[in-house]
Amino acid sequence: MTGAQGVGDAKGSALGRTMGRYIDASFTWEDLKWLRRSTSLPIVLKGIQTAEDALMATEHGVDGIVVSNHGGRSVDTYVYTIFTGGLRLTKVNRSTSSIAVLMEIRQCCPQVFEHLEVFVDGGIRRGTDIFKAICLGAKAVGMGRQFLYSLTYGQEGVERLIESMSWSFPIRVLLLTNAVMKDELETTMKLLGITDLSQAHPGLLNTLDVDHLIPKRLGESYSGPVVKARL
């Protein structure tokens, strides 16, 4: 942490500006090399949003990555309006979803899953979401919004959420899930004819509706090939 102090003025809220000050724009991959030399503890890099960065992580000695867009609200967004069939539709483009980045890594550099522990968070709402992530190669998922929702009822709400949780210990993943998500996950496994998450694989997913949105090779973006400057 940088020791930043919260500021509330016309430029923004205290919380938003304080959290923004914790981001060090000078941090580079070279700093990871220094960190690797400085500790024998596992290093897990959070915030991976492209296959290229996942591949770079394998080259810099980290032990794991967390595919995450930090809630999808922390990068620039833009609003655009289209007219179709006499209707006016307003859409908002946000950062790429974590599950899409997981698919991109699987498509462009699947060797990452052999060298690193890959975790994912963002958009995990149901047991089926957990299953999709595991099929695509994630070892575990992160959940946060459930706790934020439970805060509506204060401390008691959070305590009730924790009390309703149960531990599940599959071979390849350690999940802390509430009873509803656990039931959904187990039901999905039964419907697909598997008895353990170690049997999950990408072939169990039907991704035809979104495959065309995922970059097919390194260097491509979600809007088409990346044009690199020649200078």
Side-chain angles (χ1 to χ4, degrees):
M1 294 299 187
T2 64
Q5 299 295 315
V7 178
D9 56 25
K11 295 183 179 180
S13 67
L15 178 59
R17 296 189 65 196
T18 299
M19 295 305 295
R21 293 183 182 188
Y22 292 145
I23 301 174
D24 186 352
S26 66
F27 189 83
T28 69
W29 290 103
E30 294 301 315
D31 293 308
L32 274 179
K33 293 181 180 179
W34 166 82
L35 186 60
R36 180 72 287 170
R37 293 193 303 267
S38 302
T39 180
S40 59
L41 294 172
I43 298 175
V44 179
L45 189 62
K46 183 177 186 287
I48 296 296
Q49 297 184 54
T50 66
E52 288 91 341
D53 279 350
L55 194 58
M56 287 283 286
T58 67
E59 299 170 357
H60 284 78
V62 302
D63 301 281
I65 58 174
V66 181
V67 177
S68 173
N69 58 21
H70 309 294
R73 67 196 181 285
S74 302
V75 296
D76 288 342
T77 63
Y78 63 90
V79 179
Y80 65 96
T81 302
I82 59 175
F83 295 88
T84 177
L87 299 176
R88 176 179 177 178
L89 302 177
T90 300
K91 297 186 177 182
V92 179
N93 271 13
R94 297 182 175 87
S95 55
T96 306
S97 68
S98 296
I99 198 72
V101 176
L102 202 59
M103 293 178 64
E104 180 189 352
I105 297 172
R106 171 64 62 184
Q107 172 70 36
C108 299
C109 47
Q111 66 271 27
V112 167
F113 296 98
E114 300 174 4
H115 293 90
L116 299 176
E117 297 287 309
V118 178
F119 311 105
V120 63
D121 70 13
I124 305 297
R125 302 288 184 268
R126 302 174 60 89
T128 49
D129 297 329
I130 298 174
F131 186 78
K132 294 171 188 176
I134 300 303
C135 282
L136 290 171
K139 292 295 181 68
V141 303
M143 297 182 293
R145 199 154 299 188
Q146 290 88 336
F147 289 92
L148 294 179
Y149 291 156
S150 68
L151 277 173
T152 303
Y153 302 95
Q155 179 177 335
E156 181 181 359
V158 177
E159 291 175 349
R160 287 291 298 274
L161 175 63
I162 295 174
E163 290 170 359
S164 70
M165 289 181 170
S166 59
W167 286 99
S168 176
F169 292 90
I171 293 177
R172 292 177 58 243
V173 64
L174 179 63
L175 296 174
L176 178 60
T177 59
N178 62 40
V180 173
M181 297 188 75
K182 181 174 182 290
D183 287 343
E184 290 178 349
L185 178 58
E186 291 179 346
T187 298
T188 301
M189 293 169 63
K190 292 175 183 177
L191 291 173
L192 290 171
I194 65 174
T195 58
D196 195 284
L197 284 178
S198 63
Q199 301 166 352
H201 59 84
L204 294 175
L205 302 181
N206 181 354
T207 60
L208 291 178
D209 286 343
V210 295
D211 281 342
H212 67 285
L213 301 174
I214 307 301
K216 299 300 185 289
R217 60 185 63 87
L218 294 173
E220 287 187 355
S221 69
Y222 285 84
S223 58
V226 175
V227 178
K228 296 184 178 180
R230 296 183 179 181
L231 299 179

